[in-house]
Amino acid sequence: MITFDMLTIFPEIFTSYFQESIINRAQKKKLIKINTHNLRDYAKPGNRHRQVDDRPYGGGPGMILMVEPIAKALQKIKKAKKQKSRIIMLTPAGKQFDQKMAERLSSYDQIILLCGRYEGFDARVEKLVDEKISIGPYVLSGGELPAMILTEAVARHIPGVVGHPDALVEETFSKGRDYVEYPQYTRPEKFKGQKVPKVLLSGNHAEIGKWRQNKSKKR
Ligand code: ADE
């Protein structure tokens, strides 16, 4: 069982997506657990606005997430030392996420995902995290979507999360960068003049296997 802990100022962003489909089933089967934590709960005590951001020293546009609430939250969220835990900062300046990283991260007991907003984090937050990950070479408004993508990609590597046991190994990128899945068809047999390849209707599984292998390489 992996526990995913989201640290964010917008915890509601996660509710709808994680309540659906594969991720919902994985939680019900106790294969994964997802917690969301509101960073504002760790604002300075007595601060009426539960402020977790401030203006940058030296001037400049926008607001910066403060180091203290994040440090306090991470200390609280991180489980006992014997658990294998990983603190990840989502940032466009991180290492680009891929299927290999997803597989590697699936061996942890706890993954803490630190989601940024505004102009970014106080530079001292970097010392509090184990690694920085970018979901792709573009800039988003926050780390919440990247955290959801990472969670799903990692969860899919846990045995039992993906419905059919063969589904994961058959999948596009697990077999390497150049491998692409064979084309699939369902009803109807004919659509706007395009027919389903005859071999798939033949019932000859050896031939179907050969055809699929051939198409996988070609696409
Ligand atoms: N926050 C903003 N953009 C991001 C990206 N591309 N990856 C991860 N976190 C981000």
Side-chain angles (χ1 to χ4, degrees):
M1 150 105 96
I2 306 187
T3 304
F4 294 91
D5 287 283
M6 316 289 161
L7 184 55
T8 169
I9 55 168
F10 294 116
E12 286 82 21
I13 287 179
F14 298 92
T15 347
S16 150
Y17 190 76
F18 286 150
Q19 271 171 13
E20 302 292 338
S21 188
I22 282 185
I23 295 293
N24 184 36
R25 199 152 18 94
Q27 290 177 94
K28 281 194 177 141
K29 284 162 90 177
K30 304 226 181 303
L31 298 170
I32 62 168
K33 184 161 183 9
I34 299 174
N35 303 313
T36 53
H37 308 270
N38 192 337
L39 183 58
R40 292 194 189 282
D41 293 343
Y42 300 90
K44 252 202 169 76
N47 184 311
R48 266 203 312 138
H49 303 290
R50 306 212 298 156
Q51 189 183 351
V52 291
D53 59 325
D54 211 339
R55 287 169 303 176
Y57 280 117
M63 300 288 271
I64 305 295
L65 286 170
M66 294 189 285
V67 63
E68 283 174 310
I70 293 171
K72 225 195 300 173
L74 292 177
Q75 199 182 15
K76 178 90 185 290
I77 295 164
K78 202 172 166 184
K79 287 193 192 147
K81 283 209 172 64
K82 62 176 165 37
Q83 296 253 356
K84 215 178 151 198
S85 182
R86 196 83 176 154
I87 302 175
I88 296 168
M89 175 198 278
L90 281 320
T91 161
K95 192 169 169 234
Q96 177 149 351
F97 188 61
D98 62 17
Q99 190 76 330
K100 265 226 168 74
M101 286 166 95
E103 198 175 341
R104 168 171 64 82
L105 292 171
S106 71
S107 70
Y108 284 89
D109 300 313
Q110 182 186 29
I111 295 175
I112 301 171
L113 297 167
L114 176 54
C115 306
R117 278 273 152 180
Y118 313 124
E119 295 302 311
F121 301 96
D122 183 298
R124 292 164 290 189
V125 174
E126 284 197 22
K127 291 255 166 54
L128 306 174
V129 307
D130 297 310
E131 61 183 299
K132 297 187 288 176
I133 293 179
S134 166
I135 219 68
Y138 38 76
V139 179
L140 301 167
S141 305
E144 286 79 11
L145 283 172
M148 285 200 271
I149 291 168
L150 185 148
T151 298
E152 179 161 311
V154 172
R156 290 175 62 83
H157 285 280
I158 302 164
V161 168
V162 174
H164 195 279
D166 292 339
L168 191 62
V169 275
E170 290 239 350
E171 232 171 28
T172 307
F173 290 107
S174 301
K175 285 186 179 169
R177 206 169 266 280
D178 300 324
Y179 177 89
V180 180
E181 242 177 54
Y182 48 80
Q184 302 253 51
Y185 299 86
T186 186
R187 290 191 296 177
E189 258 181 62
K190 199 173 156 193
F191 174 71
K192 294 190 176 172
Q194 294 177 274
K195 286 189 196 148
V196 175
K198 271 209 175 68
V199 62
L200 299 179
L201 312 170
S202 68
N204 183 336
H205 289 285
E207 284 302 314
I208 292 171
K210 254 194 268 173
W211 183 89
R212 284 182 168 166
Q213 206 170 20
N214 191 278
K215 287 290 177 188
S216 304
K217 284 182 212 142
K218 271 191 179 164
R219 234 217 276 192

